Amino acid sequence: MEVGLDIKFFQRERRKKEEGGVLIHQLYIVLHVTTARGERGKCEMAPLKYLEQEYPILDSNFQNFCATHGIFSEEDLLLHDLHVLVAFAEQQSTSERLKQGITQVLSIIDGQHQPWLNGMELLEDAQLNKHVLSTGCEGIDLLLQGGLRMGQLTELVGASSSGKTQVCLLATSNVAKKHMGGVVYLDTGNSFSPQRVIDFIRQNSDPAIDQAKHRILQKVMNRILCHSVFDIFTMFDVLHQLELNLRSQIQKGDCQVQLLIVDSMSSLVTPILGGGGSQGHALMTSAGFLLKKLAHEHNLVVLVTNHTVGGEGGISKPALGESWKSIPHVRLRLSHDQGSSIYNVSVFKHPSMASGKAARFTIYD
């Protein structure tokens, strides 16, 4: 593509952004938020530095050139006057390479626009790619007619000790063992327990596994990757790197990641929702859409947890408010019969199932 032609299109996009205020271009945005300490934080959902691995033309020289003009991400470039940027590039000794880099970034952005799909194509995608992964929990799997659906974001809502993390750990062990799939676990509160995962694996083991349990356990545990993530900006970085890894995974034929867990989403989002500004809600919404994008494009099950807060009449309700509730495809509410190993799950929201359906399940210590 000619740089000049690209500039006309993307400047129209830029004008739309300026007229619309804070707009999200696809999922890649740049938001400035004021942290609790009064500092200015910046979330760059598509930093140029992460693109160099896949596009060598976007090397350190190109990144340094962009940085001198305040451009650190795809979004920054869209908001810049591209005619001016090209004019500056032409003054450099590496002008042709710099202009090729600008064209490459514009092509990457243009590639974010997904093609229209008709009903038959969507049906074929669902039948070929959007399979169901069992959680290992019989009650939940029966309620959901097999388990968690690939391509969907499922949310577990419940009070403290309602079983959210236990279900996440059980699903982790089951996907890694039974489905032989990769699991990425984003742990926001030091709640990931490798020993608990091993316990779940052993609970469901058969004699063949017992005979070679060390070898089997090693294989299963190697399929699980855990990241400690304590703020939403770090999560954006991890998710963007995961997206790059998923693309290369397809090319290399590595162990296919099938399950992405964020435990818990609410602990990352709640700190940025305070105050009267809209930036926190925009970040939360963007995080949700990014998770859904990963689920759909890479056929993942995305499982997140959310706590409850007090509602009208003393009845608890899911945290994160109205802006969040439309994001998950499926919302399940968990509760625990205190003093027992019995848990309850009910459908809060589901694209093909009536709300209110419920089941009971057991998780043993």
Side-chain angles (χ1 to χ4, degrees):
M1 290 188 294
E2 293 288 336
V3 173
L5 295 175
D6 288 346
I7 287 174
K8 291 178 183 178
F9 171 77
F10 286 104
Q11 283 194 325
R12 286 200 300 271
E13 294 298 304
R14 178 167 61 84
R15 283 196 294 272
K16 291 178 185 177
K17 290 172 181 292
E18 291 170 349
E19 293 166 3
V22 180
L23 267 174
I24 300 172
H25 178 84
Q26 290 295 93
L27 301 172
Y28 298 112
I29 62 169
V30 174
L31 287 173
H32 297 271
V33 299
T34 303
T35 64
R37 293 176 293 174
E39 299 172 347
R40 297 294 288 179
K42 190 172 186 180
C43 170
E44 300 168 353
M45 290 186 63
L48 297 180
K49 63 182 180 181
Y50 286 148
L51 298 175
E52 181 182 0
Q53 179 181 348
E54 191 170 353
Y55 306 98
I57 192 73
L58 308 181
D59 56 14
S60 59
N61 180 58
F62 179 79
Q63 293 172 40
N64 290 335
F65 169 75
C66 289
T68 62
H69 298 279
I71 297 171
F72 300 93
S73 70
E74 294 170 343
E75 180 78 3
D76 288 340
L77 190 138
L78 275 182
L79 296 175
H80 203 83
D81 189 320
L82 296 181
H83 283 296
V84 172
L85 188 65
V86 171
F88 276 113
E90 289 174 342
Q91 299 172 16
Q92 307 299 312
S93 60
T94 56
S95 60
E96 288 304 313
R97 188 170 177 83
L98 290 174
K99 288 192 289 186
Q100 289 173 15
I102 293 171
T103 301
Q104 181 65 74
V105 176
L106 296 178
S107 297
I108 294 169
I109 296 170
D110 194 35
Q112 300 299 327
H113 298 278
Q114 297 298 314
W116 290 89
L117 298 177
N118 62 37
M120 196 64 210
E121 290 170 327
L122 290 170
L123 178 61
E124 289 174 354
D125 177 58
Q127 292 174 337
L128 291 174
N129 302 313
K130 303 302 189 285
H131 305 300
V132 169
L133 294 182
S134 66
T135 63
C137 175
E138 186 176 357
I140 292 178
D141 290 344
L142 286 174
L143 179 67
L144 298 180
Q145 300 174 352
L148 305 173
R149 178 73 59 180
M150 288 179 166
Q152 292 185 350
L153 191 161
T154 298
E155 178 189 35
L156 302 177
V157 179
S160 177
S161 301
S162 60
K164 301 186 297 294
T165 296
Q166 294 301 304
V167 171
C168 288
L169 295 174
L170 180 56
T172 295
S173 67
N174 202 58
V175 169
K177 185 191 76 170
K178 180 178 177 181
H179 299 282
M180 294 182 289
V183 179
V184 176
Y185 198 115
L186 304 190
D187 179 15
T188 71
N190 288 325
S191 58
F192 180 81
S193 170
Q195 183 58 54
R196 187 62 169 149
V197 173
I198 290 173
D199 291 342
F200 283 133
I201 294 169
R202 287 174 173 163
Q203 280 180 14
N204 300 315
S205 63
D206 54 38
I209 289 179
D210 288 335
Q211 292 171 12
K213 63 181 180 181
H214 178 72
R215 181 173 56 85
I216 297 296
L217 282 176
Q218 189 175 39
K219 278 188 174 181
V220 172
M221 297 303 286
N222 283 339
R223 296 182 187 127
I224 302 168
L225 182 62
C226 181
H227 290 274
S228 293
V229 177
F230 301 115
D231 63 77
I232 196 167
F233 305 107
T234 303
M235 185 183 75
F236 280 133
D237 276 343
V238 171
L239 292 179
H240 185 68
Q241 187 60 54
L242 173 62
E243 185 170 26
L244 295 178
N245 293 344
L246 289 171
R247 291 176 189 168
S248 62
Q249 167 187 276
I250 295 173
Q251 298 169 355
K252 296 177 183 176
D254 294 342
C255 174
Q256 190 80 19
V257 174
Q258 296 182 343
L259 175 62
L260 169 61
I261 293 175
V262 183
D263 182 25
S264 77
M265 192 70 188
S266 51
S267 68
L268 295 179
V269 172
T270 301
I272 64 172
L273 292 182
S278 61
Q279 295 96 335
H281 286 86
L283 278 170
M284 175 183 70
T285 303
S286 299
F289 284 139
L290 179 56
L291 290 169
K292 291 174 77 171
K293 177 176 181 282
L294 289 171
H296 174 70
E297 293 186 358
H298 299 282
N299 301 314
L300 306 180
V301 168
V302 176
L303 183 63
V304 304
T305 64
N306 185 9
H307 67 272
T308 57
V309 295
E312 293 183 8
I315 300 175
S316 63
K317 62 179 182 180
L320 305 185
E322 296 296 310
S323 302
W324 172 261
K325 74 175 187 180
S326 63
I327 292 176
H329 298 92
V330 178
R331 305 186 90 183
L332 302 176
R333 184 150 194 163
L334 301 181
S335 62
H336 180 208
D337 294 349
Q338 296 300 321
S340 75
S341 56
I342 303 298
Y343 294 80
N344 307 287
V345 56
S346 60
V347 175
F348 217 57
K349 171 188 173 183
H350 198 285
S352 59
M353 191 179 298
S355 298
K357 291 189 68 174
R360 293 164 72 84
F361 61 95
T362 302
I363 295 181
Y364 296 102
D365 294 332

